[in-house]
Amino acid sequence: MLEPKQIKNDAEELMQSAVMYLDDALAHIRAGKASVRILDPIKVEYYGAMTPLTNVSTITTPDARTIQIQPWEKNMLSVIERALINSNIGLAPNNNGEVIRLIIPPLTEERRRDLAKQCKAEAENAKVSIRNARRDAIDTLKKQIKEGLPEDAEKDAEDEVQKLHDKYIRQIDEVYAKKEKEIMTV
């Protein structure tokens, strides 16, 4: 028989991972400001192995609209530039022979609304994950009654799972509101 505390902890772990996933997904949405995290998925060929861009160069944001990539080896400039062009980040690299600069264009009002919708969809997916974790925990608790768990202990554990659900839904709303404000700010 599973302990109610273990069931609750498992549900909380799933809820935390949903919030972390949302935070990561929203970090990759370009909000008109330079962020090195939009380059996280990009990999380049380095001595025969696909390597993350951050492992072969220094990436900085000298100002709010520029990302600067300085490879550790000069011969990597063309490889990095090709990887940026082939990626789906939608930015054209400027190579001056020393560093590669990515200029973040200002967002149009329509694009801002589209990005806000995309963020809302990501937040809704995270909420669904949290609701699923709550449902699974409650189902497991109900099954534990058949295995000898007292009903009042099950009800108490159910209430605790619901409180966790409410806490993590609030966190998702806060993360989403922060990102939406960032996107809509001109």
Side-chain angles (χ1 to χ4, degrees), residues 6 8 14 16 18 24 28 64 103 110 112 128 130 137 158 177-178:
Q6 180 62 41
K8 185 185 79 136
L14 290 170
Q16 282 175 343
D24 189 52
H28 289 93
I103 309 298
E110 182 181 341
R112 287 179 193 281
V128 168
I130 288 175
E158 226 177 273
K178 181 179 165 192

Side-chain angles (χ1 to χ4, degrees), residues 38-54:
I38 64 172
L39 300 178
D40 284 352
I42 298 176
K43 295 189 183 321
V44 295
E45 189 168 334
Y46 185 65
Y47 291 108
M50 293 308 283
T51 308
L53 185 58
T54 55

Side-chain angles (χ1 to χ4, degrees), residues 17-138:
S17 64
V19 173
M20 290 187 319
Y21 172 80
L22 175 67
D23 201 30
D24 189 52
L26 294 183
H28 289 93
I29 295 176
R30 193 177 60 189
K33 290 184 191 165
S35 169
V36 297
R37 297 220 29 214
I38 64 172
L39 300 178
D40 284 352
I42 298 176
K43 295 189 183 321
V44 295
E45 189 168 334
Y46 185 65
Y47 291 108
M50 293 308 283
T51 308
L53 185 58
T54 55
N55 291 4
V56 297
S57 61
T58 302
I59 303 173
T60 58
T61 53
D63 59 58
R65 297 240 181 255
T66 308
I67 298 174
Q68 184 171 296
I69 304 164
Q70 184 161 18
W72 296 333
E73 299 176 18
K74 284 230 190 222
N75 62 343
M76 289 300 294
L77 274 170
S78 61
V79 175
I80 292 172
E81 188 174 20
R82 206 171 325 110
L84 290 168
I85 291 169
N86 293 336
S87 72
N88 62 353
I89 60 170
L91 298 174
N94 296 333
N95 181 352
N96 70 3
E98 296 282 322
V99 296
I100 296 174
R101 286 189 179 81
L102 300 171
I103 309 298
I104 311 291
L107 297 173
T108 63
E109 188 63 31
E110 182 181 341
R111 182 68 177 138
R112 287 179 193 281
R113 281 194 296 270
D114 289 345
L115 289 174
K117 281 182 190 174
Q118 185 180 352
C119 290
K120 187 167 183 70
E122 291 287 352
E124 197 52 47
N125 287 340
K127 285 182 180 182
V128 168
S129 295
I130 288 175
R131 290 183 195 117
N132 288 341
R134 175 190 60 185
R135 184 197 65 226
D136 293 344
I138 290 174

